[in-house]
Amino acid sequence: LIATDGWSVAPLAKSSEAKILPYSPAEAARLLFGVPTESSMFAERCKVIDSGILPQFIEDNELCYKGYEVLDECLGVRPSDPIVSILIRLCRRFDTLESQILEFARDEFIRRNVEVVYVIDDPDIIDDVRVLARKVHKLTNFPLRLVWNGTNGGFSLANNLAAAHSRGRLLLFLSSEVIPVSPSWLETLVGTIQSASQIGAVGARLVLPNGGLQHAGMRLSYDRDLSVWRSRHPFKGIDPSLLDQTGPFGVLALTSACILMQRRVFESIGGWDTGYLIGDFADSDLCFKLLSRGMSCYLDPRSTLIHLERDSFEDKRNKSYRQKITVYNAVRHQTKWSSLIEGLDDSSVL
Amino acid sequence: VEQSIFLARHDRGRGASGEIVLFRADEYLWEQSISDWFRLVTANDDGLLIRFGEFLQAIQPTVIHVHHYLHLGMEMMQLMRVACPTAKIILTLHEYVAICFNHGQMIKPRSNQLCLRGGFEECHMCFPSYAPEDFWLRKHRLQSYLRAVDQFIAPSEFLRQRYISWGIPSEKITVIENCIRRRDIPPVRPLPEGGRRNRFGFFGQVTPFKGLEVLLGAVVTLRREEQRDLVIEINADKLEDLAGELRPRIQSVIGSLEFSGTVLWRGPYEPDHVGSRMASVDWVVVPSTWWENSPMVIQEAFACGRPVICSGIGGMAEKVRDGVDGVHVEPGNIVAWADTLRRLSTDDPAIWDQFRAAIKLPCPPTECAARHLQIANERN
């Protein structure tokens, strides 16, 4: 890489040999992000350089993903006209499936009115998930459906696929790391979303296994070190009983780990944005789409689920790569929603 | 009871085939096992879902009394609920396996410290290769399956309280003491002129948690003439059959004690011979370094009219009244055990007579059965 003013030439960076970026967006990003830049300048670099390169890879990947044949397996008879479809994406880990189904099976509302669809977004676990799902189905008689296309599409593609292969009037996107611990939580969320038409999405309060808060709505905060706006979970780790949260309240954004919305609304806003790497920021993006259409997000603390949140801490080896992905996504997010972010009041900013 | 059918887990050395086979009239064997001991997952799915499912379908039980899920897996509780929706499901709890991954002992690995109350962070400290979240998931899985159980039976109040604080609703656990066979009370050991009540019997398996090392360690600290004043009779597996590191450790202390006649290793015994083995001792010792639940040996000792010296914790402390029908000693404390042995082996025999007179005989089998039947017949 050189710089020239037409007369003199200054070398900026050297690489040993020219490389062709791999086809997969995540792998292309890994190679591209390997070209060093000071961390305080990386956001600027993403805006000028990487944002001109990676979207093409992401688009091609999406086209390719949509071309694969979708396979499914139905276990038991699902309700014919479900009120809600619970959509859960599985990747790498699926040890929570059993606990989730056992909870769904003892929830009268879910048994009567809900279909459950697991989208297996990891070719390595398809067979094992099917074996486990059949076993749990036989143990509980609880109907469920498995959907896969033999590839790994990432958060947004897989969840859009799951939505397209479900029938509920409402869609609940639920992380495989989130587990209910008592019945009727979903009925509560359904009641809330149906209570006012301007409610675009409702989320449950999520707590960590020891009882500390994990999520009760997200705010944005400006990261001066990285020069980007990032989403934050206020009061994370604190005993939620200390926070005066009794009934539903409006929040800037909800986590993708648990978000309920009307199918027609979801479809009208084009579903999950597939332009982010790996899936970071897709949740905030979705909520901003609702906000820009005059709808808002609500958090209902009367419905409280456990979030194990093991995924967030697993990429320690790749910390610098993960951080660069976050910056790339954050740059895309704040560019796309710049006017909305500028207009945010103090209650939405940390 | 119109009919009762018995199903026992079995290992024929050919792995968990999942097969259920008729052993003899009304008794079946199930070749089943566990594939994941952390989460207690049944090894053979077909054996569970098909074979066990058919077994239930064929016998159509009205009451299912489960005595353990160890070696079988926890999922069968839920299968029973689905296959026999109206049956009463009863589970007897025997130790703390669902609560504690350390073989259900509720003591900490490596340090062998007693654990008062498990927790996701604490359990992770005991087993660092499992994250706190893994322990949460383990508990959630086990509790979800145990929800299928209508009534739990705990052989001790101590164990009952441990399961209540773990999350089983208190009204769902009843205490019924383990049932032991009615037997003749062996005669009191005849004392020679000026003799003392100085013969102590250890009964049962020798594992690191049973505290035999503590007992022998206490004897070693006694002076030579004090050692000559007492006899410890060990009724357990042959010394050479002990597994692991325990054998050399016990062998190293026992050599001279056995030579001088202070320790008598009497070897294994059949249940029928408990009475005759107890006949030759005055006291029964239970020096366990874990909580125990309701050790059968305590009931056997009381059925034989022998006061019990035990670690003053958990199920042992509950069953033995300190200073009434036995003596409590601080668990694992060699000095305390030595003091107790020295004192009891030199006391006036009349004191032993008072202990013996205070012993209450264990509940007879008919009464125990009646209490079980009462629970079985209560409507869900």
Side-chain angles (χ1 to χ4, degrees), chain B residues 156-328:
Chain B
S156 71
E157 180 61 28
F158 180 81
L159 179 130
R160 176 172 178 267
Q161 290 301 333
R162 285 285 161 113
Y163 275 94
I164 290 169
S165 62
W166 183 67
I168 305 280
S170 60
E171 70 277 10
K172 273 189 145 189
I173 318 185
T174 312
V175 175
I176 302 181
E177 181 55 275
N178 286 318
C179 185
I180 64 157
R181 245 185 284 186
R182 185 188 285 282
R183 61 174 83 252
D184 296 332
I185 301 176
V188 170
R189 184 175 72 89
L191 280 190
E193 187 60 32
R196 300 287 170 183
R197 292 292 170 197
N198 58 359
R199 293 185 83 98
F200 303 85
F202 176 95
F203 292 80
Q205 286 181 307
V206 177
T207 71
F209 313 121
K210 290 291 182 183
L212 184 59
E213 275 186 283
V214 177
L215 181 67
L216 295 175
V219 176
V220 167
T221 66
L222 295 175
R223 288 202 306 275
R224 200 49 75 74
E225 57 273 25
E226 288 172 338
Q227 288 179 357
R228 273 198 295 272
D229 278 346
L230 59 90
V231 175
I232 309 275
E233 296 192 1
I234 298 168
N235 300 276
D237 286 345
K238 285 186 193 140
L239 190 52
E240 43 286 21
D241 291 344
L242 296 189
E245 300 168 7
L246 208 55
R247 185 175 58 166
R249 290 213 305 261
I250 286 183
Q251 260 168 341
S252 73
V253 293
I254 212 167
S256 64
L257 294 174
E258 219 172 3
F259 188 74
S260 66
T262 303
V263 170
L264 196 59
W265 197 289
R266 299 196 61 183
Y269 58 93
E270 292 297 318
D272 284 346
H273 298 146
V274 172
S276 61
R277 290 287 179 103
M278 292 214 173
S280 64
V281 299
D282 305 309
W283 310 86
V284 169
V285 286
V286 187
S288 296
T289 54
W290 77 292
W291 303 101
E292 293 280 7
N293 164 25
S294 174
M296 297 290 277
V297 61
I298 293 180
Q299 294 203 79
E300 296 280 12
F302 287 162
C304 293
R306 263 55 182 174
V308 175
I309 311 161
C310 66
S311 300
I313 52 166
M316 295 172 284
E318 178 185 329
K319 305 290 169 177
V320 177
R321 291 170 292 164
D322 189 22
V324 179
D325 49 16
V327 177
H328 290 182

Side-chain angles (χ1 to χ4, degrees), chain B residues 339-355:
Chain B
D339 287 346
T340 305
L341 291 174
R342 183 189 298 116
R343 176 167 58 85
L344 296 177
S345 61
T346 53
D347 263 350
D348 182 345
I351 293 177
W352 182 85
D353 294 337
Q354 288 170 16
F355 276 102

Side-chain angles (χ1 to χ4, degrees), chain B residues 53-233:
Chain B
E54 288 169 349
F55 174 81
L56 294 171
Q57 195 191 338
I59 64 175
Q60 299 199 9
T62 50
V63 176
I64 307 174
H65 190 158
V66 182
H67 261 277
H68 225 306
Y69 43 81
L70 218 57
H71 295 286
L72 290 171
M74 204 58 108
E75 299 94 307
M76 62 175 180
M77 308 294 175
Q78 175 64 29
L79 190 72
M80 291 186 283
R81 183 76 294 153
V82 168
C84 314
T86 58
K88 178 130 190 175
I89 301 174
I90 302 168
L91 171 65
T92 298
L93 300 163
H94 290 280
E95 62 320 89
Y96 316 96
V97 164
I99 304 175
C100 172
F101 182 46
N102 192 21
H103 308 286
Q105 307 274 308
M106 293 200 80
I107 56 176
K108 306 199 174 194
R110 299 177 294 277
S111 72
N112 288 341
Q113 264 181 298
L114 291 164
C115 172
L116 297 170
R117 194 166 60 113
F120 312 124
E121 301 295 333
E122 292 92 332
C123 292
H124 163 68
M125 302 286 263
C126 284
F127 296 95
S129 61
Y130 294 97
E133 292 80 9
D134 296 331
F135 280 99
W136 186 91
L137 206 52
R138 175 186 195 270
K139 179 175 179 176
H140 184 269
R141 177 181 198 273
L142 299 182
Q143 287 191 340
S144 296
Y145 283 126
L146 288 175
R147 203 167 276 126
V149 175
D150 296 304
Q151 188 68 40
F152 297 88
I153 293 174
S156 71
E157 180 61 28
F158 180 81
L159 179 130
R160 176 172 178 267
Q161 290 301 333
R162 285 285 161 113
Y163 275 94
I164 290 169
S165 62
W166 183 67
I168 305 280
S170 60
E171 70 277 10
K172 273 189 145 189
I173 318 185
T174 312
V175 175
I176 302 181
E177 181 55 275
N178 286 318
C179 185
I180 64 157
R181 245 185 284 186
R182 185 188 285 282
R183 61 174 83 252
D184 296 332
I185 301 176
V188 170
R189 184 175 72 89
L191 280 190
E193 187 60 32
R196 300 287 170 183
R197 292 292 170 197
N198 58 359
R199 293 185 83 98
F200 303 85
F202 176 95
F203 292 80
Q205 286 181 307
V206 177
T207 71
F209 313 121
K210 290 291 182 183
L212 184 59
E213 275 186 283
V214 177
L215 181 67
L216 295 175
V219 176
V220 167
T221 66
L222 295 175
R223 288 202 306 275
R224 200 49 75 74
E225 57 273 25
E226 288 172 338
Q227 288 179 357
R228 273 198 295 272
D229 278 346
L230 59 90
V231 175
I232 309 275
E233 296 192 1

Side-chain angles (χ1 to χ4, degrees), chain A residues 93 95-96 98-100 102-103 105-106 131-132 134-136 138-141 177 179-181 208-210 306-310, chain B residues 35 39 41-46 48-50 75-76 78-79 82 119-122 131-134 136-137 140-141 144-145 147:
Chain A
R93 211 200 287 273
D95 57 351
T96 49
E98 194 178 6
S99 278
Q100 287 184 323
L102 286 165
E103 286 291 346
R106 71 177 176 123
V131 168
L132 179 65
R134 283 180 206 136
K135 175 176 171 176
V136 181
K138 278 191 184 146
L139 286 172
T140 57
N141 281 336
E177 289 284 288
I179 301 164
V181 283
L208 296 163
N210 280 326
I306 300 290
H307 193 181
L308 299 181
E309 209 193 18
R310 291 174 295 184
Chain B
S35 63
R39 303 186 316 132
V41 179
T42 304
N44 190 308
D45 283 356
D46 284 349
L48 172 73
L49 301 167
I50 298 170
E75 299 94 307
M76 62 175 180
Q78 175 64 29
L79 190 72
V82 168
F120 312 124
E121 301 295 333
E122 292 92 332
E133 292 80 9
D134 296 331
W136 186 91
L137 206 52
H140 184 269
R141 177 181 198 273
S144 296
Y145 283 126
R147 203 167 276 126

